[in-house]
Amino acid sequence: MSLSRLARIWPSARRYASHSVNSPAPSFNTVGPYQVFDRNVKCMQRDGAASRNGGEQSRLVDYVRDEVAHRMMERFLARPGHFSKLLEPEKVKKSIMIDSSHATLNRDTDEEFEVEVERRHGDEESLLQIISPNSQEAVVSCLSLHWVNDLPGALVQIKEALQADGLFLGAMFGGDTLFELRTALQLAEVEREGGISPRISPMTDTRDISNLLGRAGFTLLTVDIDEVKVGYPSMWELMEDLGEMGEGNAVIGRRPFIHRDTLAAASAIYKELHGNDDGSIPATFQIGWKPAPTQPKPLDRGTGKVNLKEVL
């Protein structure tokens, strides 16, 4: 494995090292959500992925988001517009696309959509600064919430942005996503370096999502899990595609480099533990689905106009 190849596969070692030094560190002396992810680094990763070669390489790795968007549409039938591309004009009049990455938001501006599309650049953690409260019939989130630091606060803002009886439909990576890569890297680091550093983001458990949606005020909750399994020739191609997706490591406190021999050991461990019979390796993307329509509160007792005895 050449040094140039490693540089393409593991770009965070040099491209983002200088930014991580100035990233806000978690503070235990202030009030607010615990900071897990460096949102500035994440925006730079996604901007870079969407900008390289005019976004051509980024389009080649849209396969996971496109698959999730199709599965969301099956549930809905109600990043750069993966879901908006599937909307039908007889069901939807206008779609507002929001993304914290300006390059990702505007990567496919020349593509034709079936419905009217408006692009708004802004941080998903400050949703109510981008759209007005009580203004949306539906809010759909397609694989962006797993990088949000204040997930409870984001869900509350989504609830506030919805009109009465509005629908929230979300999909986010969670649970055992990339568990094969996580275990391979951890075992290799323990063996070669005597310890581990966070390389794969912590993932939200599906049971926690149900509780968070309830606390945010959503009702009629439905939460389930789906998996997308993708085969790769080796760990190197998987890591290269993750970088082109803008899904690189953005955990605060991460080590900005990894040794060559550790990566080589991780590749061997990955193939040994999880490899397929044909020599390829699988990668699991676990998606948590969160359809959560709100509903009006029941009327006060005694205000009904129909006698149930007559109905029965």
Side-chain angles (χ1 to χ4, degrees):
M1 184 61 59
S2 66
L3 285 173
S4 60
R5 173 70 168 163
L6 282 171
R8 293 199 304 272
I9 292 174
W10 201 261
S12 59
R14 285 191 289 273
R15 189 177 304 146
Y16 306 117
S18 60
H19 300 290
S20 63
V21 173
N22 299 318
S23 300
S27 173
F28 300 99
N29 299 317
T30 58
V31 176
Y34 186 84
Q35 301 296 300
V36 178
F37 306 114
D38 190 324
R39 299 280 293 173
N40 293 326
V41 167
K42 178 46 57 183
C43 283
M44 286 187 287
Q45 288 175 346
R46 300 188 68 229
D47 280 344
S51 301
R52 282 191 290 276
N53 299 322
E56 190 60 34
Q57 189 64 26
S58 174
R59 294 184 184 92
L60 293 177
V61 295
D62 279 344
Y63 48 86
V64 174
R65 289 190 175 92
D66 285 341
E67 175 63 24
V68 173
H70 278 87
R71 296 187 187 190
M72 289 186 74
M73 181 56 67
E74 291 177 359
R75 288 164 166 80
F76 184 63
L77 274 184
R79 275 199 12 141
H82 297 274
F83 188 81
S84 295
K85 296 173 186 176
L86 306 177
L87 294 175
E88 300 175 1
E90 59 268 22
K91 296 184 176 68
V92 177
K93 180 180 179 181
K94 179 179 179 180
S95 173
I96 300 175
M97 293 168 49
I98 298 173
D99 205 301
S100 58
S101 166
H102 186 272
T104 302
L105 181 67
N106 295 281
R107 192 193 70 180
D108 297 329
T109 52
D110 57 343
E111 183 162 347
E112 293 292 331
F113 290 84
E114 293 293 327
V115 301
E116 179 186 354
V117 170
E118 178 186 348
R119 291 173 168 82
R120 297 186 187 181
H121 179 227
D123 194 336
E124 299 94 334
E125 291 191 338
S126 303
L127 183 63
L128 293 182
Q129 295 180 14
I130 309 170
I131 58 177
S132 302
N134 304 310
S135 62
Q136 305 302 309
E137 291 181 300
V139 173
V140 177
S141 175
C142 184
L143 298 182
S144 65
L145 289 176
H146 57 282
W147 289 115
V148 168
N149 281 308
D150 185 11
L151 184 55
L155 292 175
V156 169
Q157 292 187 73
I158 291 172
K159 169 70 165 51
E160 293 300 314
L162 286 169
Q163 298 176 2
D165 270 344
L167 170 74
F168 168 54
L169 176 62
M172 63 183 293
F173 290 135
D176 292 330
T177 294
L178 296 178
F179 75 91
E180 304 99 337
L181 180 61
R182 186 194 305 272
T183 54
L185 288 171
Q186 288 178 345
L187 290 172
E189 281 196 296
V190 170
E191 176 193 352
R192 298 303 175 98
E193 303 180 33
I196 62 175
S197 176
R199 300 293 179 188
I200 309 296
S201 298
M203 300 292 176
T204 305
D205 189 88
T206 308
R207 292 167 295 184
D208 296 330
I209 290 296
S210 299
N211 296 332
L212 291 175
L213 286 168
R215 285 174 50 190
F218 289 102
T219 55
L220 298 179
L221 307 178
T222 302
V223 180
D224 58 6
I225 301 173
D226 207 348
E227 285 188 354
V228 176
K229 282 189 176 290
V230 183
Y232 295 89
S234 71
M235 186 189 79
W236 311 107
E237 286 78 11
L238 166 60
M239 293 172 63
E240 188 170 22
D241 277 15
L242 289 174
E244 296 298 343
M245 292 177 190
E247 294 293 332
N249 188 11
V251 176
I252 293 176
R254 69 201 177 280
R255 293 174 62 190
F257 63 89
I258 187 168
H259 297 292
R260 286 185 299 164
D261 60 341
T262 302
L263 279 174
S267 178
I269 292 171
Y270 200 131
K271 186 158 291 190
E272 179 66 25
L273 292 180
H274 308 291
N276 299 318
D277 293 338
D278 61 359
S280 65
I281 55 110
T284 300
F285 297 87
Q286 192 172 84
I287 303 103
W289 303 97
K290 304 174 295 183
T294 59
Q295 67 177 125
K297 294 182 180 180
L299 296 174
D300 294 333
R301 188 179 183 87
T303 59
K305 296 181 180 180
V306 178
N307 192 321
L308 289 179
K309 292 182 179 180
E310 297 176 2
V311 174
L312 297 176

